[in-house]
Amino acid sequence: MRTLALTAALATLLVSAASAEFPSRQITIVVPFAAGGPSDAMARLVAQGIGEKVGARVIVENIAGAGGTIGSARVSRADPDGHTLVFGNIGTHAANLGLYKSLPYNPESGFEPVALLASVPFVVAGKRALAVDDFAGLRALATTKPGTLTYGSAGIGSASHLAALLLDAAIGAKAQHVPYRGVAPAMNDLVAGQIDFMCDQTVTMIPQIKGATVKPLAVMSRARIAQLPQLPTVIEAGLTGVEVEAWNALFAPKGTPPEIVEQLFASIWAALDAPAIRARFEELGAVIPAKDAAGPQALRAHVAAEVRKWVPVIRNAGISAE
């Protein structure tokens, strides 16, 4: 018993010492996607803010591949000392559990949640030549002529695919999925009129809507959004249960000491609370949560809820990334 007590005391001292010295070197935020996308842009904004608060260099490293699983798995195996974080999202920490039969990490138990950074509502938009002008019209068209409409996505299992799957199941459209190798080519075909509609994040949709290259139909959120105040929600159109928000969060490897997690969260929240970062997030169409909804415990509950929401949708649709 005395040996166990000494061991526990030593472990506590080591954790306290590690926490007192944190950060002792450069902090790396792994973005498990290619550079240049919305996640990358948001991560770099946050990295700069964290660096200013903790007094250490914070860099972003892009480790793309396999729907974000490669970069996420690497961070799950990193030293749990707070110096390596992963920029996770709806795909890496929820949907991938249903998409991959042998996911190399567990989204719920393989990490220490640090902070929920922001959520980004989804918008349903159609091609300019679509024969309807609102979501009610799209729903009527889809149900009277099931299987005739086409929708594009950034690829099988992508957030844009999942959002459209949820919508399709709710209205019974049986629309035809046209997967692309990324959001950009899918959007190009929507603008060109090669596909009928698409569901994607505001950061992608807003420039096209403002440029009048696509036809906005509804926002897939509980309330209207500031960037598109005239655009009704799907709820206003009479459809519930299809609210979709992309979200972004930071996770540390499992076993990272609670003191370091709390220190990281404090610095992240201070960065998010800066007017310049809030303004930039708003430009991207991202909504920063309230502080009590952004912390480690709230993020843990959020991930669990998202897993329960998306894994059944994926399995019921019979889609797989392998």
Side-chain angles (χ1 to χ4, degrees):
M1 292 293 292
R2 187 173 183 179
T3 301
L4 289 174
L6 287 172
T7 301
L10 179 58
T12 301
L13 287 172
L14 289 173
V15 167
S16 299
S19 301
E21 295 173 1
F22 179 80
S24 60
R25 62 181 188 277
Q26 172 182 285
I27 296 173
T28 299
I29 296 176
V30 172
V31 174
F33 306 101
S39 294
D40 186 60
M42 202 175 291
R44 292 180 188 278
L45 281 172
V46 173
Q48 181 180 349
I50 296 172
E52 293 171 356
K53 301 301 178 183
V54 301
R57 187 180 181 216
V58 181
I59 67 164
V60 171
E61 182 180 1
N62 297 92
I63 304 176
T69 64
I70 295 175
S72 299
R74 184 175 299 185
V75 173
S76 74
R77 298 189 297 267
D79 291 337
D81 56 12
H83 292 91
T84 307
L85 308 173
V86 65
F87 196 85
N89 64 13
I90 186 175
T92 61
H93 282 72
N96 281 356
L97 196 58
L99 287 168
Y100 291 87
K101 294 178 181 177
S102 55
L103 194 65
Y105 60 88
N106 188 305
E108 294 188 82
S109 62
F111 299 87
E112 299 296 343
V114 178
L116 179 63
L117 303 174
S119 59
V120 185
F122 269 57
V123 170
V124 186
K127 63 183 181 182
R128 287 176 296 178
L130 196 66
V132 299
D133 294 318
D134 55 27
F135 183 77
L138 177 71
R139 185 179 184 181
L141 182 62
T143 52
T144 55
K145 296 182 179 180
T148 60
L149 292 176
T150 58
Y151 68 89
S153 80
I156 294 174
S158 64
S160 53
H161 182 203
L162 298 180
L165 270 179
L166 195 65
L167 186 68
D168 192 59
I171 63 179
K174 294 184 171 59
Q176 300 175 52
H177 178 216
V178 183
Y180 292 82
R181 298 179 69 86
V183 172
M187 182 58 71
N188 287 341
D189 267 10
L190 182 65
V191 171
Q194 298 301 310
I195 51 177
D196 293 313
F197 71 96
M198 185 173 165
C199 304
D200 207 64
Q201 301 177 45
T202 50
V203 65
T204 304
M205 289 293 194
I206 286 175
Q208 302 299 334
I209 291 170
K210 290 185 174 179
T213 61
V214 299
K215 185 180 290 187
L217 301 173
V219 59
M220 299 177 76
S221 56
R222 294 177 182 85
R224 296 193 185 195
I225 58 176
Q227 295 86 351
L228 300 169
Q230 303 305 315
L231 187 62
T233 68
V234 289
I235 296 174
E236 291 177 75
L239 195 64
T240 59
V242 294
E243 297 84 13
V244 179
E245 292 181 333
W247 50 268
N248 297 281
L250 284 172
F251 299 85
K254 184 70 175 178
T256 301
E259 294 87 349
I260 290 179
V261 170
E262 288 298 331
Q263 190 175 340
L264 281 166
F265 175 67
S267 65
I268 291 165
W269 183 255
L272 290 176
D273 212 27
I277 288 185
R278 283 188 171 266
R280 181 61 183 134
F281 269 46
E282 185 174 336
E283 289 175 15
L284 293 170
V287 179
I288 297 173
K291 187 176 182 179
D292 60 357
Q297 293 308 313
L299 177 55
R300 189 182 300 280
H302 180 73
V303 169
E306 288 288 276
V307 167
R308 290 195 302 270
K309 176 178 182 176
W310 291 111
V311 170
V313 171
I314 292 164
R315 290 178 178 165
N316 288 339
I319 60 174
S320 173
E322 294 178 334

